[in-house]
Amino acid sequence: MLRDDTGGGGRRPSRNVLGQPLAGCSDDPLTGFFRNGCCDTAAEDVGSHTVCIVVDAEFLRFSKSRGNDLSTPLPQYGFPGLNPGDRWCLCAPRWAEALEAEAAPRVVLQATHEGALESCALSDLKRYAVDLS
């Protein structure tokens, strides 16, 4: 959740790219910058882990080719490795990079934090959405 900037001192629910309350992305594998299952963010999340993706083999190959092997488990860090079909909170700039390389994975808009819009166009995210009717 993000801090309430209205002066009330409380907290307000995080919003997704559609302006609605942010839905969870994945509890298995557990994802998110805060490892709470949500693509929530805060100032300390310099990578902007805000795009909820549905992993596919093409994206895993792309990410590995860019030096970020997401398929190999790292048990010492509690990372099980990702498989096609898993959902994961991806850094928004990496999703934009994958889009440019024609390797962008599908996106769950309801679980993609509005902060992703700093790096990604809503129209692009919608083109790759799995949850638009």
Side-chain angles (χ1 to χ4, degrees), residues 45-53 55 58-71 82 88-107 115-121 124-125 128:
D45 178 14
V46 295
S48 186
H49 296 76
T50 53
V51 180
C52 181
I53 65 165
V55 176
E58 180 182 5
F59 175 73
L60 288 173
R61 283 190 299 275
F62 167 79
S63 189
K64 189 173 185 177
S65 77
R66 295 298 208 260
N68 189 17
D69 181 0
L70 294 172
S71 57
L82 300 179
W88 191 250
C89 293
L90 184 66
C91 294
R94 176 55 52 107
W95 190 86
E97 179 186 6
L99 177 67
E100 182 69 26
E102 299 182 5
R106 303 298 304 260
V107 174
L117 298 175
E118 293 177 18
S119 299
C120 307
D124 290 332
L125 293 169
Y128 285 81

Side-chain angles (χ1 to χ4, degrees), residues 14-133:
S14 295
R15 313 293 284 172
N16 63 32
V17 293
L18 302 173
Q20 303 163 339
L22 184 66
C25 183
S26 176
D27 290 326
D28 185 22
L30 190 58
T31 191
F33 178 76
F34 298 106
R35 290 298 188 262
N36 62 0
C38 291
C39 297
D40 211 346
T41 191
E44 59 268 25
D45 178 14
V46 295
S48 186
H49 296 76
T50 53
V51 180
C52 181
I53 65 165
V54 178
V55 176
D56 61 36
E58 180 182 5
F59 175 73
L60 288 173
R61 283 190 299 275
F62 167 79
S63 189
K64 189 173 185 177
S65 77
R66 295 298 208 260
N68 189 17
D69 181 0
L70 294 172
S71 57
T72 301
L74 297 171
Q76 66 272 31
Y77 298 110
F79 179 67
L82 300 179
N83 297 296
D86 287 342
R87 289 183 176 194
W88 191 250
C89 293
L90 184 66
C91 294
R94 176 55 52 107
W95 190 86
E97 179 186 6
L99 177 67
E100 182 69 26
E102 299 182 5
R106 303 298 304 260
V107 174
V108 182
L109 295 175
Q110 297 290 331
T112 296
H113 191 278
E114 65 187 351
L117 298 175
E118 293 177 18
S119 299
C120 307
L122 181 57
S123 59
D124 290 332
L125 293 169
K126 283 183 172 181
R127 278 193 357 244
Y128 285 81
V130 296
D131 57 341
L132 269 185
S133 4

Side-chain angles (χ1 to χ4, degrees), residues 1-21:
M1 295 177 77
L2 295 177
R3 188 180 71 245
D4 180 340
D5 292 325
T6 62
R11 299 191 43 96
R12 64 177 172 86
S14 295
R15 313 293 284 172
N16 63 32
V17 293
L18 302 173
Q20 303 163 339

